[in-house]
Amino acid sequence: MSDLGAFAIRASLVVALYAIAAALIGARLRDERFLTSGRRGVLAAAAFLTLASVALIWSLVAADFSILYVAQNTSLATPLFYRISGFWGNMDGSLLLWAWVLSAYSAIVVLTNRSRNAILMPYVITVLMGVLAFFLVLLTTAADPFTRLQVPPPDGGGLNPLLEDPGMFFHPPTLYLGYVALTVPFAFAVAALLTGHLGPEWITSTRRWALVAWYFMGLGLVIGGWWAYHVLGWGGYWGWDPVENSVLMPWLVVTAYIHSVMVQERRGMLKVWNLALIILAFGLSIFGTFLTRSGVVSSVHSFARSSIGPVFVAFLMAAMLSAFALLLARMGRLQEAHHLESALSREGAFLFNNVALVAAAAAVFFGTTFPMLSEAVRGVRMLVGPPYYNQVFVPIALLVLLLMGVGTSIPWVEETLPRLGRHLALAATLAGAGGVVLLVFGVRKPAALSSFILVMFVAVVTLAEFARGTRGRRRIGESVPRAVYSLLRVNPQRYGGYVVHVGGLMMVVGIAASSGLSRQIDTTLAPGEEVRIGRYMLSLQGVLPYRDSTRIGIAVQLTVSNAGQVLGVLQAGKVVHVASQQPLNLVGIRSTPRDDLYVILAGVAPRKVRLQVLLNPLVFWIWTGMGVITLGTLIAVLPELRRTRRPVVNPAAERS
Amino acid sequence: MTQRFLKLAAYVVAVAALLAGAAVSAQTIDDRVRDIARQLMCPVCEGQTVAESSSELAEQMRAVIREQLEGGQHPEQILDYFVGRYGESILAAPPKRGLNLLVWIGPFAVLLGGVGLAVRTLRRWTHPPLPGDAG
């Protein structure tokens, strides 16, 4: 199996390089046959990498310890489910996953562009296969997942036990589905620059890809947060860990891009800016993979370390320098007559939304890279943690939120100040009144309070948009549900986008509440003793030994009651993963839409236990918000799968 | 129209005043301990602050913070005490001085620069050059 896998990786490298050569020759000679051959090369690369990936999964499942990677990342005791996730449990496998996803995406691009984009395609293939070749070179040299062991050990090392969790099964592949999708718009952008075909084609062909990238990166972040919350046991879901940051940065940049491309689609403006954004987003995805996989930063993801850092930096530099040099060289062709009726328009609002989103990404970038800079310059590795992000990132994020409301209520082309005032007055009044109410009820943290006020503001504005649209359709005799359905159908991009906004607002509420208003009690209890937090009363039943298929330890049983009524039993413990001797937390969580009761066993003394009890309000809405975002993204993307939309040419088509 | 705008401005001012009022409202000792603990990294954990960590050391450090706060120490003095014991890398965020200012000011510089650029671009777009102008 290892020979087959090793062969398949090398074969895919060969066909990828062949596809580049054939595509370029085809473009030069204008010979369709070479081009067709190049396309088949892309499909072959995908087939070979599928073979290689299946071979690795097979070896992991069969526990073939003659392969070093298998011996390091799985064991006989590892359940089947987590033998499979050993695939992305470490560097070599993750890089193979990267390459596999990229080859599959490339195949989809080739298959969906058989007749479209004939001029761009040779260069699209060149860029896609060039990036793929970089990863394949790594996979055949420094990170070969099929390296053999002379003497196979009787048992393997096993997966890092922290990763033996459903969250960590889905988190890495989801992230990669997002990350890697960024390569497609990047390839189209570079192809547009190379050929000088800088019209709207490359954007219409890749908008869906940008959305896919955006969605899966977001989903991956949320799954990662869910995992941290349930497994790591420190009461939070987001630690500004460099590895989380490395996904947040391209996500923010793509968020900006998704908005700014609308300006180009409608008005033909912001061409240079859009190209720059997508190049930057791709660069950040490579930078993120480098951060995760090179061990350059100390983080909870430190199990993913390697020595391939310099190669990554060289590739990243080369890709960014050549892409931006190309952009500069084409600057002359990208100049066109700009004319905007008014700065007070959705176009104008998107410009500021882009600035704020890029500044937010910059805040994360400065914070993530500063420890390395400080170490290089002063020899002291300064940490940049939550206090920094609370003071720098959060204000910028609140600005983004404000612009989300303002932007939604401004129509394209032109708005007048009195009309805008009229539209915003209701939302501002309600949000202000809501703020006073919250203040009276004791919400005192400035960040949380301003988040809530802004959320109410944006929510009213967004619902007003729906109401306006529905009213319009009611006039032609549709019932309310029917009207909402028609809105989503007729303009899925716009109203799907608003649904996504609503999901985002739900997440902001959950994040602001749980980070600003959570309560924590540190206590020591003996059996029979009780502790009160909020409306809950917890009483310690006892301390019992704990044992499951892979872990042993101790756990406490706590009876949870509210006003004398017993609600259930919560279990929290400290355990050791037997195979690796790694200590782990068993977190006790009782989740309701109102708040999460979260119990950590901090320590055990004779006849007493130390507990950390947290009451995290509204966390439920973070996960629910992601569900709504999924729905909105589906609404926006699905209709496009059925028909290829022409760009809207008439700028005044929207909103009366 | 101006009246409506003034009203809107009044709301903004009122909300800002509320926020300012909220910021200076009374804090319990637990809140103050947690505020300081959030600014210190737990030396024996990876990527957790002293406020979050359930390790014994973090608990002891929280006790020290409480003791010093009750003894009338200023938060800055308490942070200095821990820096003296563990070095600068105990701080969860760099102090705002010297090279560290880069990380604190950089993002806002990007924001301001971007806003400047956006304003300039919008001005150019809404006032296209007259036929007589060059360019």
Side-chain angles (χ1 to χ4, degrees):
Chain A
M1 230 28 187
S2 71
D3 291 340
L4 180 65
F7 161 76
I9 289 179
R10 281 153 187 81
S12 64
L13 177 57
V14 172
V15 291
L17 294 175
Y18 169 76
I20 295 177
L24 288 179
I25 293 171
R28 169 61 47 102
L29 302 179
R30 298 181 186 285
D31 189 329
E32 193 58 36
R33 286 171 303 170
F34 278 102
L35 216 55
T36 308
S37 182
R39 288 164 194 268
R40 290 194 184 129
V42 173
L43 299 181
F48 278 125
L49 279 174
T50 306
L51 189 62
S53 303
V54 170
L56 185 58
I57 294 172
W58 185 278
S59 309
L60 284 162
V61 170
D64 176 359
F65 297 130
S66 68
I67 299 171
L68 176 64
Y69 187 80
V70 176
Q72 281 171 343
N73 292 294
T74 199
S75 69
L76 293 172
T78 310
L80 173 69
F81 192 57
Y82 298 117
R83 286 197 191 176
I84 295 172
S85 68
F87 186 7
W88 45 81
N90 219 322
M91 180 186 72
D92 307 357
S94 322
L95 292 179
L96 178 57
L97 180 65
W98 222 105
W100 185 25
V101 174
L102 179 57
S103 72
Y105 281 168
S106 305
I108 296 173
V109 168
V110 163
L111 291 175
T112 52
N113 285 280
R114 260 187 293 227
S115 52
R116 285 190 296 150
N117 296 316
I119 297 166
L120 294 179
M121 277 314 284
Y123 303 97
V124 171
I125 292 176
T126 303
V127 176
L128 289 173
M129 291 297 105
V131 175
L132 182 65
F134 164 71
F135 280 94
L136 291 174
V137 167
L138 287 180
L139 284 168
T140 50
T141 53
D144 188 345
F146 291 103
T147 305
R148 303 288 299 252
L149 278 175
Q150 291 301 327
V151 186
D155 195 359
L159 196 63
N160 183 317
L162 282 174
L163 303 184
E164 286 192 14
D165 180 86
M168 267 298 142
F169 184 91
F170 293 108
H171 169 69
T174 313
L175 279 188
Y176 280 16
L177 283 177
Y179 252 180
V180 179
L182 286 174
T183 315
V184 178
F186 172 74
F188 272 89
V190 170
L193 285 168
L194 277 171
T195 56
H197 278 255
L198 294 155
E201 297 86 8
W202 78 271
I203 283 201
T204 21
S205 307
T206 58
R207 184 180 50 208
R208 208 186 301 154
W209 287 98
L211 270 176
V212 165
W214 177 87
Y215 172 72
F216 280 113
M217 283 194 283
L219 180 65
L221 284 174
V222 172
I223 295 177
W226 186 86
W227 169 78
Y229 188 68
H230 285 82
V231 174
L232 292 185
W234 47 273
Y237 40 81
W238 184 264
W240 295 108
D241 182 89
V243 177
E244 299 164 333
N245 293 350
S246 71
V247 187
L248 184 61
M249 284 186 275
W251 184 85
L252 288 165
V253 172
V254 175
T255 310
Y257 174 81
I258 287 172
H259 291 89
S260 64
V261 286
M262 288 187 238
V263 178
Q264 182 170 349
E265 280 181 313
R266 282 165 177 277
R267 310 297 307 267
M269 293 186 281
L270 292 181
K271 286 183 183 173
V272 178
W273 176 246
N274 287 330
L275 286 162
L277 277 184
I278 208 61
I279 294 171
L280 186 65
F282 169 74
L284 287 170
S285 79
I286 299 289
F287 181 64
T289 313
F290 157 73
L291 279 184
T292 332
R293 293 298 160 197
S294 69
V296 69
V297 284
S298 146
S299 78
V300 294
H301 293 62
S302 51
F303 38 77
R305 292 196 175 168
S306 77
S307 55
I308 56 168
V311 195
F312 251 103
V313 173
F315 173 72
L316 177 62
M317 287 302 213
M320 286 299 98
L321 285 178
S322 44
F324 277 112
L326 200 56
L327 181 60
L328 278 180
R330 290 289 185 201
M331 219 51 154
R333 289 220 206 179
L334 289 161
Q335 301 292 341
E336 72 279 306
H338 292 303
H339 175 64
L340 198 63
E341 290 72 13
S342 166
L344 201 62
S345 57
R346 190 165 288 186
E347 292 91 325
F350 276 175
L351 221 52
F352 288 104
N353 126 317
N354 266 242
V355 167
L357 282 165
V358 170
V364 182
F365 182 80
F366 275 97
T368 311
T369 52
F370 188 73
M372 292 172 251
L373 179 76
S374 159
E375 195 172 19
V377 175
R378 292 178 51 220
V380 185
R381 194 179 183 93
M382 295 300 297
L383 288 169
V384 184
Y388 165 81
Y389 292 99
N390 290 340
Q391 288 170 63
V392 177
F393 180 85
V394 171
I396 301 177
L398 291 176
L399 180 63
V400 172
L401 201 56
L402 175 70
L403 289 171
M404 190 170 168
V406 177
T408 304
S409 53
I410 301 186
W412 292 93
V413 185
E414 193 163 14
E415 175 66 305
T416 59
L417 214 48
R419 241 189 9 175
L420 179 62
R422 215 160 46 230
H423 282 151
L424 292 184
L426 174 69
T429 311
L430 288 177
V436 173
V437 170
L438 286 175
L439 199 59
V440 170
F441 277 94
V443 178
R444 293 286 149 83
K445 290 276 165 71
L449 185 56
S450 33
S451 303
F452 292 142
I453 292 174
L454 285 171
V455 165
M456 287 185 277
F457 172 69
V458 184
V460 174
V461 166
T462 311
L463 292 178
E465 277 294 294
F466 268 103
R468 220 193 313 276
T470 318
R471 225 174 17 238
R473 299 207 71 92
R474 289 270 288 158
R475 247 176 257 133
I476 58 170
E478 290 184 353
S479 64
V480 175
R482 173 82 211 168
V484 171
Y485 175 76
S486 316
L487 277 187
L488 294 174
R489 245 196 96 104
V490 171
N491 200 338
Q493 205 188 339
R494 174 180 174 140
Y495 289 98
Y498 290 154
V499 173
V500 169
H501 280 190
V502 171
L505 293 178
M506 290 162 76
M507 292 184 76
V508 172
V509 167
I511 292 166
S514 56
S515 52
L517 309 173
S518 90
R519 264 179 286 177
Q520 178 176 345
I521 293 176
D522 297 344
T523 182
T524 305
L525 292 185
E529 286 185 336
E530 294 179 327
V531 61
R532 169 171 284 285
I533 186 162
R535 63 183 187 281
Y536 290 119
M537 180 71 93
L538 285 82
S539 99
L540 182 67
Q541 292 301 301
V543 188
L544 297 166
Y546 176 91
R547 154 166 232 119
D548 65 20
S549 60
T550 53
R551 305 171 295 187
I552 56 167
I554 51 160
V556 293
Q557 311 276 339
L558 295 152
T559 309
V560 183
S561 54
N562 179 9
Q565 192 186 350
V566 175
L567 300 170
V569 175
L570 216 53
Q571 177 174 269
K574 274 209 168 325
V575 294
V576 172
H577 186 264
V578 180
S580 63
Q581 292 297 304
Q582 182 165 331
L584 302 165
N585 281 317
L586 282 183
V587 187
I589 304 177
R590 184 190 156 79
S591 184
T592 68
R594 182 170 158 190
D595 48 28
D596 282 13
L597 181 60
Y598 191 102
V599 183
I600 305 155
L601 178 61
V604 182
R607 305 237 3 106
K608 271 186 168 107
V609 293
R610 282 194 305 123
L611 294 175
Q612 258 184 320
V613 185
L614 288 87
L615 200 59
N616 297 327
L618 305 179
V619 174
F620 174 84
W621 297 99
I622 300 176
W623 325 127
T624 317
M626 192 63 223
V628 175
I629 289 177
T630 303
L631 181 71
T633 311
L634 284 175
I635 292 171
V637 170
L638 277 188
E640 289 194 53
L641 294 178
R642 276 185 256 128
R643 64 196 146 97
T644 316
R645 280 171 49 116
R646 278 174 296 123
V648 180
V649 206
N650 180 3
E654 289 296 308
R655 215 174 107 181
S656 49
Chain B
M1 168 200 154
T2 10
Q3 215 177 9
R4 199 177 291 277
F5 203 69
L6 280 176
K7 259 191 210 163
L8 204 66
Y11 281 129
V12 173
V13 172
V15 169
L18 287 175
L19 289 178
V24 295
S25 64
Q27 281 186 312
T28 66
I29 180 85
D30 284 344
D31 290 337
R32 293 172 63 206
V33 170
R34 187 131 38 117
D35 277 351
I36 296 172
R38 281 210 178 115
Q39 297 176 52
L40 296 166
M41 296 308 285
C42 160
V44 295
C45 331
E46 264 190 284
Q48 291 180 24
T49 66
V50 170
E52 296 145 354
S53 168
S54 59
S55 73
E56 219 148 320
L57 179 60
E59 182 160 299
Q60 286 164 11
M61 288 172 73
R62 287 196 291 267
V64 170
I65 296 170
R66 183 179 297 266
E67 213 170 88
Q68 297 201 353
L69 272 176
E70 282 163 353
Q73 295 268 42
H74 196 262
E76 290 298 320
Q77 292 172 308
I78 301 175
L79 290 177
D80 284 345
Y81 164 80
F82 283 107
V83 169
R85 286 195 62 175
Y86 294 95
E88 268 188 315
S89 54
I90 186 91
L91 294 172
K96 291 166 189 140
R97 58 165 183 265
L99 178 72
N100 301 340
L101 284 175
L102 185 68
V103 70
W104 287 102
I105 297 173
F108 293 112
V110 171
L111 182 66
L112 287 181
V115 168
L117 200 69
V119 168
R120 231 193 55 184
T121 310
L122 283 174
R123 195 165 289 163
R124 219 178 49 223
W125 285 359
T126 47
H127 303 283
L130 297 170
D133 292 352

